[in-house]
Amino acid sequence: MKLTEAKQQFISSWGAFGTQWGINRTMAQIHALLLVSPDPITQDDIMEQLSISRGNVNMNIRDLISWNLVERVILPGERKEYFTAEKDIWKVATQIIRERKKRELDPMLKLLGQLEDVDGDKKDKETKQFVEMIGSIKKLGNHADKVLDVLIKAEENWFTGSLLKVFK
Amino acid sequence: MKLTEAKQQFISSWGAFGTQWGINRTMAQIHALLLVSPDPITQDDIMEQLSISRGNVNMNIRDLISWNLVERVILPGERKEYFTAEKDIWKVATQIIRERKKRELDPMLKLLGQLEDVDGDKKDKETKQFVEMIGSIKKLGNHADKVLDVLIKAEENWFTGSLLKVFK
DNA sequence: CTGAACTTTCAAAATTTATTGAAAATAATT
DNA sequence: AATTATTTTCAATAAATTTTGAAAGTTCAG
């Protein structure tokens, strides 16, 4: 397979994959493009390669930056801004985990804490089921929180496969 | 907080949470409703409680069934079908992991395998970056695959917290 | 300061995704 | 086999999300 074709395929699939995970297709595609670009590129490069508008590139790049997956690069002597993505894929993964934990898991746990104490008779079947369910989801959430922390900290070993031994 | 209000809050937040993960809001809400319903309920119950149409309930319930999170229950002497959700939240979590792995991770790994060998000079910067990136994403994917398998099999211990010790 | 180069914003338009509801299909009852 | 209850389908519609592009904002060289 030719590079151009493979790249195209990768970007498009990465976009589709992203949408399944609640990530804007274009944002995922820009990320994919940056991942396979050895050097920093400009907004115009992205516009051209993905055939999307300037506004779209700008908004999604800013979003990627807020996820700490992409950064602005100022090349000396150049007027334009360049962008580059973190290339260490394990760092990418842990960063995404970290952010989603912060943005989604933490708020959810906070909510569950609030819902935990409803007034009413614990003997009532409906109340009992509700309280128990909230409690066990909260417990699962806290568990996930800890497991993910361990994962994030295991950073160094993943590539060699030594994490899994510890893990098991 | 009153039960009705708490339930409402839970269902609505679970729906919002779902959308962030690429899950249809209504599907997540139906799931939430079933999770806190001690007894099986009918399509009409769901329509009424969530104010949604019959067709919508039907499609989303079928989807939930395909994820093995909900099942049909036939009550003796009743004409209508009833539905109930798996209440063991760990089983719910592992089932979701299992399905997403199968539906998303596996196809992605398959694709990456295909993209791995592009023709062209490995000395070329673009080609080199592409091949390396695809390779390391594939490695990460395979790693995740194994880690998730270990997690799924650890089923029995999660509630007591003993998994994490082993994990660490 | 001025003007050119570049970036950001955001209302309107386009696209994608979800929902409705009525008709068709299916299943149970008499 | 006809009637009734219930479920399923799916084209049309509605809602949500994404994208555009032009105007406003910013930055910087001269």
Side-chain angles (χ1 to χ4, degrees):
Chain A
M1 192 185 276
K2 284 219 54 174
L3 178 65
T4 329
E5 192 193 340
K7 210 165 144 181
Q8 223 27 68
Q9 172 90 261
F10 172 63
I11 290 169
S12 137
S13 304
W14 202 248
F17 194 63
T19 55
Q20 295 191 295
W21 284 84
I23 290 147
N24 175 303
R25 187 192 315 279
T26 301
M27 178 168 149
Q29 288 184 348
I30 294 176
H31 190 216
L33 173 60
L34 286 167
L35 283 177
V36 298
S37 301
D39 299 315
I41 60 179
T42 64
Q43 286 201 356
D44 294 82
D45 295 331
I46 298 170
M47 285 169 65
E48 195 191 334
Q49 295 217 41
L50 304 181
S51 317
I52 56 180
S53 72
R54 181 175 306 284
N56 199 0
V57 172
N58 194 275
M59 286 178 124
N60 283 111
I61 276 277
R62 284 152 62 64
D63 218 343
L64 283 165
I65 290 174
S66 84
W67 281 78
N68 271 297
L69 298 172
V70 167
E71 51 172 36
R72 259 172 242 279
V73 176
I74 307 296
L75 295 190
E78 290 267 9
R79 188 76 177 273
K80 279 184 179 170
E81 289 178 338
Y82 283 72
F83 299 94
T84 188
E86 168 61 56
K87 298 296 196 307
D88 178 334
I89 203 69
W90 178 261
K91 281 192 190 157
V92 172
T94 51
Q95 184 54 32
I96 292 171
I97 293 171
R98 228 187 300 270
E99 282 295 324
R100 293 201 89 148
K101 232 163 71 76
K102 187 169 74 194
R103 297 178 187 206
E104 294 154 26
L105 189 53
D106 294 356
M108 175 51 68
L109 285 173
K110 195 177 157 215
L111 174 78
L112 291 170
Q114 288 164 10
L115 296 181
E116 223 166 7
D117 40 4
V118 295
D119 19 86
D121 189 5
K122 288 279 171 60
K123 294 282 166 45
D124 172 54
K125 214 202 284 185
E126 289 274 332
T127 309
K128 188 157 174 285
Q129 176 63 34
F130 184 82
V131 171
E132 279 179 14
M133 184 51 66
I134 297 296
S136 61
I137 294 174
K138 201 181 153 207
K139 209 158 189 171
L140 178 68
N142 280 126
H143 179 67
D145 203 49
K146 285 182 205 149
V147 168
L148 291 172
D149 279 339
V150 174
L151 251 189
I152 289 171
K153 282 175 193 142
E155 204 162 343
E156 311 78 24
N157 315 302
W158 86 273
F159 209 80
T160 63
S162 67
L163 170 63
L164 201 61
K165 284 178 210 140
V166 186
F167 199 103
K168 249 175 182 160
Chain B
M1 192 186 274
K2 282 220 56 172
L3 178 65
T4 330
E5 191 194 340
K7 210 166 145 180
Q8 223 27 66
Q9 172 92 259
F10 172 63
I11 290 170
S12 138
S13 305
W14 204 248
F17 193 64
T19 55
Q20 295 191 295
W21 285 85
I23 290 146
N24 176 302
R25 188 193 314 279
T26 301
M27 180 169 146
Q29 288 184 349
I30 293 175
H31 190 215
L33 173 60
L34 286 167
L35 283 177
V36 298
S37 302
D39 300 314
I41 60 179
T42 64
Q43 287 201 356
D44 294 82
D45 294 330
I46 298 170
M47 287 168 65
E48 195 192 335
Q49 295 217 41
L50 305 181
S51 317
I52 55 180
S53 73
R54 182 175 306 284
N56 199 1
V57 172
N58 193 275
M59 287 178 123
N60 283 109
I61 275 279
R62 282 152 64 64
D63 217 343
L64 283 164
I65 290 172
S66 84
W67 281 77
N68 270 299
L69 298 172
V70 167
E71 53 172 36
R72 260 171 241 278
V73 176
I74 307 295
L75 295 191
E78 290 268 10
R79 189 79 177 268
K80 281 184 178 169
E81 288 178 337
Y82 284 72
F83 300 95
T84 187
E86 168 62 55
K87 299 295 197 304
D88 179 335
I89 204 69
W90 179 259
K91 281 193 188 156
V92 171
T94 51
Q95 183 53 32
I96 291 171
I97 293 171
R98 229 188 300 269
E99 281 295 324
R100 292 201 89 147
K101 230 162 73 75
K102 187 170 74 193
R103 297 178 186 206
E104 294 154 25
L105 189 53
D106 293 357
M108 175 52 67
L109 286 173
K110 195 177 159 215
L111 174 79
L112 292 170
Q114 289 164 9
L115 296 181
E116 223 165 8
D117 40 4
V118 294
D119 19 88
D121 188 5
K122 288 280 170 61
K123 294 280 165 49
D124 172 52
K125 215 201 288 185
E126 289 275 333
T127 309
K128 189 158 174 284
Q129 176 64 35
F130 185 81
V131 172
E132 280 179 13
M133 184 51 65
I134 297 296
S136 60
I137 294 175
K138 200 180 155 209
K139 209 159 190 170
L140 178 69
N142 279 126
H143 179 68
D145 204 49
K146 285 183 205 147
V147 169
L148 290 173
D149 279 340
V150 174
L151 250 190
I152 288 171
K153 281 174 193 142
E155 203 162 344
E156 311 79 21
N157 315 302
W158 85 272
F159 209 81
T160 62
S162 67
L163 169 64
L164 200 61
K165 284 178 210 141
V166 187
F167 198 104
K168 253 178 179 155

